[in-house]
Amino acid sequence: MPTAITSLPLELLSLIYSFLIASDDYDYSAKSFRLVSKRFREVDSLCRPRLRVLRVEFLQTLLSTYPNLRELDLSVCPALQDGTVSLVLAPRPHNLFSRVSYRSSVCSVAASARDELEHSCSRSRSRSRFSGLGFEGKVETTLKVLPRWTRQIEKLILCRTSGLGPVGLEKLLAACEGLQSVDVSYCCFNGDLEAAAIVRGNCGSLREIIMDKSLQLTDIGVAKIAKGCGERLERLSLKWCLQVGDIGVEILSNKCSRMRRLDVSGLKITDESLQSIGSLSKLEELSLVGCPFVSDTGLKFLGDGCPLLKVLDVTRCNNISAAGLGYVIARHENLEQLYASYCLKEFSSFHCHLKGLNKLKAIKVDGSVLSGTILEALGKYCPLLEEIGLSKVKGLTDTGLVQLAYSSIKLKSIDLSCCNFIMDSAICALAVSCCHLAILKLESCCAITKNSLLSLGMHCRSLRELDLTDCMGVDDEGLEYLSKCRGLSCLKLGLCLAISNKGIRSVASNCQEIIEIDLYRCIGVRDEALAALSSGCKKLRTLNLSYCTEVTDIGMKHLSQLKQLSALEIRGLVNITSIGLTAVAAGCSILTELDMKFCENVNDSGFWALALYSRNLQQINFSYCNISDVAICMVMSNLTRIQDAKLVHLNGATLEGLELALQASFVRIKKVKLLSALRFKLSPYILDTLRARGCRMRWD
């Protein structure tokens, strides 16, 4: 390594590292950074702000390596239990003879001792908070204090950690004294005990609590959170907490007067809850998705309160009308985002309520009935509009879209999925007028032809994401026009039967920033197209080739050159064999998701290659594949990061082999899908153990 790089000061290297933190590809960039040299690795260790742990056995080592973490994500770390928390929080005694020099070891321990002791003495909190954690005794030579990493943590992500109980949760939160945000969502068995544990563990600094789909949570648990956190709580998400009702929301509104973001989607609350929510003078974001008992009466309470409201989501609230929603809009001129999909059958009289929304930036009315008057009013009264969702809208015409396009010049994202009557004239108007357009979704817009792609290629140089799924009018000539959008990063061409190798070659040679491409059932795509993608799209991460039946092992060998490929779908590719799969496994070393359902010509040698080379795989689908007991056991035991496995109709595997494979992955598997006939044949020990470790069982 050149001396000039290795001798750079830590301040400069830290500044370079800060740019990596802000990038979209942070994990991959950080890994490349720390592999440069020991000095770069030291910077990564000191400056890394967040960590996502996959394997619980490395948790303690990783936390000691990265002491300055701000965010810790354990959502994909299976087998996280109360005992694991106790182990992670346990003091790590220094080994005086592990260093080269005894004297240097003593100095290191002494310095660490002074640091830990000063921190312990400077705490303003009472020692009783840590009762039961095992740290009550006086400081000895082994330094029984909290690990260093606990001081800096501000956000804990514990979603889907079903094995973590109230005791472990309380210990973990109590140790992180500066914690501001905790996410325990999608732990279906969480309830009032976990809510109480959160409050007892850390209510002094918490500002944000997310408990989505905590099915055992009731009004009692919400009351404990409200009383414990009080006015400090700024965000609470209770999405799909089905046992929470009006009483809990009322207590929450009374105790947490500074609440800024509240999500009560899916709750069986009534207008009484909206009356309580209306008293929250600081509320800025409110989500009411799928609240069936909310009506216009509740919206009136909301309209008369919440003066700072900026984001409102009433998607699938079937009992509200345009008049009720208009009442809220008329009294909230600062509204920036409005989501009202699949709730209003008629928007014809809604245009009169849009006059005051001059700050509106995003609106979604998917599944509604619109007229050209509404679109004209949006363009006229909402000059800052950047995002609009019109998926499955009835009554949408080219004339209305043209009017919207000419007046909404700042538009960046528009969803026109399943708008079957949209013609080229509307898309051309959007391309010409909306030069900042970045996201365009045209799924199942069957009337779109190459003329639309010509306009997009000529005018929309900022286009990043384009969905043309099931657009039968798209052909190779259209893709050639589209290839002028060189900044394109996501292209979906599923069910576009008219495209072939020529069109893919045009895109691959010009759009080198593509990271995702979907070619689902594009039967004209062959090995030559994959050769073009492998040579032109080196940044490709996600590729869907399902049911592209002309692809063979030669195409798989071309894909092996895509070193950044992380997700691959090859369902129904009957012409590939173990040779092609081996090439992909050996070449695509960071592959994390593989779906090879119905790949019937792959035998055990291909699966052995996966077990040997694809150590980063987290999701697999081997359904309807020919795999033996030995191969499935080898795969499930060697793939130490596996999280989700679909193992339906494994031709060649027996019940005993499947049981051994499941036992080999006990400590890491979180989701498994099996044949429904095996529900009563598998060993009860295996089923009970999987459930106890938080594994979600699905039956086909």
Short mmCIF file of all heavy atoms in Angstrom, two decimals, residues 6 10 20 45 98 102 142 147 178 183 203 229 268 313 315 324 455 549 606 658 683 694:
data_model
loop_
_atom_site.label_atom_id
_atom_site.label_comp_id
_atom_site.label_asym_id
_atom_site.label_seq_id
_atom_site.Cartn_x
_atom_site.Cartn_y
_atom_site.Cartn_z
N THR A 6 -1.41 5.41 3.63
CA THR A 6 -1.35 4.89 5.00
C THR A 6 -0.99 5.97 6.00
O THR A 6 -1.28 5.83 7.19
CB THR A 6 -0.32 3.76 5.07
OG1 THR A 6 0.95 4.24 4.61
CG2 THR A 6 -0.76 2.59 4.22
N LEU A 10 -5.88 10.73 10.87
CA LEU A 10 -7.17 10.14 11.17
C LEU A 10 -8.32 11.11 10.91
O LEU A 10 -9.42 10.70 10.54
CB LEU A 10 -7.20 9.69 12.64
CG LEU A 10 -6.38 8.45 13.00
CD1 LEU A 10 -6.45 8.18 14.49
CD2 LEU A 10 -6.86 7.24 12.22
N LEU A 20 -19.05 8.18 3.10
CA LEU A 20 -19.56 6.83 2.89
C LEU A 20 -20.83 6.61 3.69
O LEU A 20 -21.74 5.89 3.25
CB LEU A 20 -18.51 5.79 3.30
CG LEU A 20 -17.21 5.78 2.50
CD1 LEU A 20 -16.27 4.72 3.07
CD2 LEU A 20 -17.48 5.50 1.04
N SER A 45 -13.61 1.23 12.74
CA SER A 45 -13.97 0.81 14.08
C SER A 45 -14.38 1.98 14.95
O SER A 45 -15.32 1.88 15.75
CB SER A 45 -12.78 0.08 14.72
OG SER A 45 -13.04 -0.26 16.05
N SER A 98 -2.36 -11.30 27.38
CA SER A 98 -2.72 -11.45 25.98
C SER A 98 -1.96 -10.49 25.09
O SER A 98 -2.01 -10.59 23.89
CB SER A 98 -4.23 -11.21 25.80
OG SER A 98 -4.56 -9.89 26.21
N TYR A 102 3.88 -7.23 29.11
CA TYR A 102 3.09 -7.22 30.34
C TYR A 102 2.85 -5.79 30.78
O TYR A 102 1.76 -5.42 31.21
CB TYR A 102 3.84 -8.00 31.42
CG TYR A 102 3.21 -7.92 32.78
CD1 TYR A 102 2.16 -8.76 33.11
CD2 TYR A 102 3.65 -7.00 33.73
CE1 TYR A 102 1.56 -8.70 34.35
CE2 TYR A 102 3.06 -6.93 34.97
CZ TYR A 102 2.02 -7.78 35.28
OH TYR A 102 1.44 -7.71 36.51
N THR A 142 -11.68 -6.55 37.69
CA THR A 142 -12.33 -7.00 36.47
C THR A 142 -13.29 -5.96 35.92
O THR A 142 -13.85 -6.17 34.86
CB THR A 142 -13.12 -8.28 36.75
OG1 THR A 142 -14.00 -8.06 37.85
CG2 THR A 142 -12.18 -9.42 37.07
N PRO A 147 -20.47 -2.20 29.42
CA PRO A 147 -19.54 -2.08 28.29
C PRO A 147 -19.60 -0.68 27.68
O PRO A 147 -20.60 0.03 27.77
CB PRO A 147 -20.04 -3.14 27.30
CG PRO A 147 -20.82 -4.10 28.13
CD PRO A 147 -21.43 -3.30 29.24
N GLY A 178 -28.44 6.46 27.01
CA GLY A 178 -28.72 7.56 26.10
C GLY A 178 -29.70 7.20 25.01
O GLY A 178 -29.86 7.94 24.03
N ASP A 183 -37.31 0.01 18.56
CA ASP A 183 -38.26 -0.61 17.64
C ASP A 183 -38.41 -2.08 18.00
O ASP A 183 -37.49 -2.87 17.84
CB ASP A 183 -37.74 -0.46 16.20
CG ASP A 183 -38.72 -1.01 15.16
OD1 ASP A 183 -39.73 -1.62 15.55
OD2 ASP A 183 -38.47 -0.82 13.95
N CYS A 203 -37.06 5.14 30.34
CA CYS A 203 -38.10 6.10 29.98
C CYS A 203 -37.60 7.53 30.11
O CYS A 203 -38.29 8.47 29.75
CB CYS A 203 -39.35 5.90 30.84
SG CYS A 203 -39.07 6.20 32.60
N CYS A 229 -43.32 7.72 29.91
CA CYS A 229 -42.57 8.62 29.03
C CYS A 229 -43.08 10.06 29.10
O CYS A 229 -42.31 11.00 28.95
CB CYS A 229 -42.63 8.11 27.59
SG CYS A 229 -41.84 6.51 27.36
N LYS A 268 -59.14 -0.54 16.01
CA LYS A 268 -60.59 -0.42 15.99
C LYS A 268 -61.05 0.78 16.82
O LYS A 268 -61.92 0.69 17.67
CB LYS A 268 -61.23 -1.71 16.51
CG LYS A 268 -60.90 -2.93 15.65
CD LYS A 268 -61.50 -4.21 16.23
CE LYS A 268 -61.14 -5.42 15.38
NZ LYS A 268 -61.70 -6.68 15.93
N ASP A 313 -52.63 10.39 6.63
CA ASP A 313 -52.85 9.17 5.85
C ASP A 313 -54.16 8.53 6.30
O ASP A 313 -54.27 8.02 7.41
CB ASP A 313 -51.69 8.20 6.06
CG ASP A 313 -51.70 7.05 5.06
OD1 ASP A 313 -52.75 6.84 4.42
OD2 ASP A 313 -50.68 6.36 4.92
N THR A 315 -55.75 6.21 4.20
CA THR A 315 -55.91 5.13 3.23
C THR A 315 -56.80 4.02 3.80
O THR A 315 -56.65 3.62 4.95
CB THR A 315 -54.53 4.55 2.87
OG1 THR A 315 -53.72 5.57 2.30
CG2 THR A 315 -54.67 3.41 1.87
N GLY A 324 -65.85 15.28 4.53
CA GLY A 324 -65.13 15.20 5.79
C GLY A 324 -63.65 15.45 5.61
O GLY A 324 -63.02 16.17 6.40
N SER A 455 -39.98 10.04 -26.07
CA SER A 455 -40.07 11.31 -25.35
C SER A 455 -39.32 11.25 -24.03
O SER A 455 -38.63 12.21 -23.64
CB SER A 455 -41.53 11.68 -25.11
OG SER A 455 -42.21 11.89 -26.32
N THR A 549 -37.23 -18.84 -20.31
CA THR A 549 -36.92 -20.26 -20.52
C THR A 549 -35.79 -20.52 -21.51
O THR A 549 -35.31 -21.65 -21.59
CB THR A 549 -38.19 -20.99 -21.00
OG1 THR A 549 -38.73 -20.31 -22.14
CG2 THR A 549 -39.23 -21.00 -19.89
N GLY A 606 -24.74 -28.88 -7.80
CA GLY A 606 -25.03 -27.45 -7.79
C GLY A 606 -25.30 -26.95 -6.38
O GLY A 606 -24.83 -25.86 -5.99
N LEU A 658 -35.03 -33.84 5.96
CA LEU A 658 -35.54 -32.50 6.21
C LEU A 658 -35.44 -32.14 7.69
O LEU A 658 -35.10 -31.00 8.05
CB LEU A 658 -36.99 -32.40 5.73
CG LEU A 658 -37.63 -31.01 5.73
CD1 LEU A 658 -36.83 -30.05 4.87
CD2 LEU A 658 -39.06 -31.08 5.24
N SER A 683 -41.25 -33.97 13.67
CA SER A 683 -41.09 -34.20 15.09
C SER A 683 -41.59 -33.00 15.90
O SER A 683 -41.25 -31.85 15.59
CB SER A 683 -39.61 -34.44 15.41
OG SER A 683 -39.38 -34.41 16.79
N GLY A 694 -38.39 -18.24 17.90
CA GLY A 694 -38.96 -17.13 17.14
C GLY A 694 -39.08 -17.39 15.66
O GLY A 694 -39.31 -16.45 14.89
#
